[in-house]
Amino acid sequence: SQSRSNSEYIQMDYQAWWSANLSVFPVKIEGGNTYPPSGHQKYANNIPSKADQTRWLMDLNGGDAPQAYGMACGKSYDSTHRIVCLDVDLDELAPALSYLFPTPCARFGSKGIGLFYKVERDDASMKKTHRFKLSGKPVVEFLSMGSFTYVPPSIHRRTGNRYVWRGQALPDALDNLPLLTPKDLRLIEAIVNYESDGSSLENVIYAEGTHQALLGLSALLVSKGVEAERAIRFMELLLPRDYSGDERGKIPEMVESAFRKGFDKPRIAPGEDMTDEDFAEVFSDWHYITAIHRMANALTK
């Protein structure tokens, strides 16, 4: 085993995780590279075997604790839910997405934030890992089956700093985790991929040409069903903390204008594939007449 100082030995409470039906395992770090156990993807279906558990516990008790620990994402931890992580890798996005999708459990490593949620166990669309890119670089990762994420008390492989919890530790937070839905995931993708009239999300987070970008973003958020108060606060948090321009004060009016223009009304473009959820939303205000024996006002809902 590698020679390490005592300060580098980190004890993981394996039993707390395994008892909660969550799969955690040691991850070896050498030369900045990481080496999870071979075939770690299987831990998304089952917690580690008794043989694995015994071996890793012996390593801890023998003073050969690893420097990092991984948790298998997409793992079913009760009869109806899986555990997932929204790994926000861009500092400029972390406060806004943490606000829009609040959770009592997050972990911090060196930048961004890792946010934990539950998803419906049998929802096939939430079993796949997704990576959302900005200027060609992944900035938000939805980590589900086949992926793992680092959890405290791991040491970050580049900085040497320890991961820490923000809020509750995950094994303690399972009963309080919010549900992340496919609609939420589509909203996150739309935000990261946002482009309108030459503007993109980068114009907002780097405060360059913010007016047009904020106008388009307000329309996008309203069209995706985000309430006015949440849309306003989200865009305020997207702007740099030291932003001194006057566009921040114009955000409420931009959002109100988007509602006045009807961006909150369901719209499906011709030829666009409709999900069952889209179909229900578009026709939620419709009433159907199967037989009629009198005059009807077609404008009455």
Side-chain angles (χ1 to χ4, degrees):
S1 62
Q2 287 180 296
S3 175
R4 296 193 294 260
S5 66
N6 289 335
S7 64
E8 291 181 289
Y9 288 95
I10 319 168
Q11 295 293 320
M12 156 67 81
D13 186 1
Y14 281 126
Q15 296 293 359
W17 293 77
W18 296 333
S19 297
N21 206 16
L22 297 173
S23 292
V24 289
F25 43 81
V27 178
K28 185 183 295 185
I29 298 178
E30 290 183 352
N33 297 316
T34 59
Y35 301 93
S38 176
H40 67 85
Q41 293 86 353
K42 64 180 178 289
Y43 299 132
N45 297 314
N46 300 286
I47 63 172
S49 67
K50 290 296 183 182
D52 287 339
Q53 293 182 26
T54 299
R55 184 172 70 256
W56 298 337
L57 288 170
M58 287 178 62
D59 288 342
L60 286 185
N61 295 330
D64 194 23
Q67 290 181 294
Y69 300 89
M71 184 201 72
C73 297
K75 173 76 172 64
S76 297
Y77 65 90
D78 63 22
S79 61
T80 56
H81 299 113
R82 298 180 185 274
I83 191 75
V84 295
C85 178
L86 193 67
D87 193 5
V88 184
D89 202 36
L90 190 66
D91 286 336
E92 291 82 359
L93 273 177
L97 287 179
S98 297
Y99 165 77
L100 200 59
F101 302 99
T103 175
C105 177
R107 62 107 178 94
F108 177 76
S110 66
K111 59 181 178 178
I113 197 75
L115 306 168
F116 292 94
Y117 308 92
K118 63 184 178 184
V119 298
E120 294 289 352
R121 181 179 184 274
D122 296 327
D123 191 334
S125 66
M126 302 302 275
K127 295 179 181 179
K128 184 180 178 180
T129 289
H130 297 275
R131 292 174 173 84
F132 305 128
K133 297 181 179 181
L134 189 63
S135 295
K137 297 181 180 179
V139 293
V140 179
E141 294 184 285
F142 171 73
L143 301 176
S144 191
M145 296 187 71
S147 300
F148 77 90
T149 191
Y150 292 104
V151 293
S154 298
I155 288 179
H156 195 278
R157 63 192 178 98
R158 291 195 180 97
T159 66
N161 297 327
R162 293 194 181 189
Y163 285 84
V164 295
W165 292 114
R166 297 284 175 84
Q168 291 180 285
L170 185 53
D172 301 326
L174 293 178
D175 291 340
N176 302 318
L177 290 180
L179 182 72
L180 200 70
T181 68
K183 184 177 181 180
D184 295 331
L185 207 57
R186 292 198 297 271
L187 173 58
I188 294 167
E189 181 178 19
I191 290 169
V192 176
N193 293 338
Y194 161 68
E195 287 186 6
S196 176
D197 296 328
S199 298
S200 72
L201 187 66
E202 290 181 296
N203 290 98
V204 180
I205 62 178
Y206 299 126
E208 298 174 352
T210 54
H211 182 77
Q212 192 63 38
L214 287 169
L215 272 176
L217 188 58
S218 64
L220 170 68
L221 294 171
V222 170
S223 72
K224 295 294 183 180
V226 180
E227 300 89 345
E229 182 180 349
R230 294 176 67 228
I232 292 168
R233 184 58 181 151
F234 174 77
M235 290 196 291
E236 289 174 343
L237 289 169
L238 275 181
L239 287 169
R241 187 172 298 179
D242 59 354
Y243 175 74
S244 59
D246 59 359
E247 295 301 324
R248 189 188 302 275
K250 298 178 182 178
I251 290 175
E253 170 56 28
M254 291 180 183
V255 173
E256 291 174 15
S257 176
F259 278 102
R260 287 197 302 270
K261 292 175 180 177
F263 282 99
D264 57 323
K265 306 304 181 188
R267 301 180 182 189
I268 299 295
E272 182 177 339
D273 291 336
M274 291 181 65
T275 65
D276 291 341
E277 188 176 351
D278 290 331
F279 188 88
E281 186 176 1
V282 168
F283 294 103
S284 60
D285 289 335
W286 288 46
H287 291 262
Y288 300 91
I289 300 174
T290 56
I292 185 168
H293 305 287
R294 66 190 71 182
M295 293 181 67
N297 183 352
L299 298 179
T300 301
K301 291 184 178 181

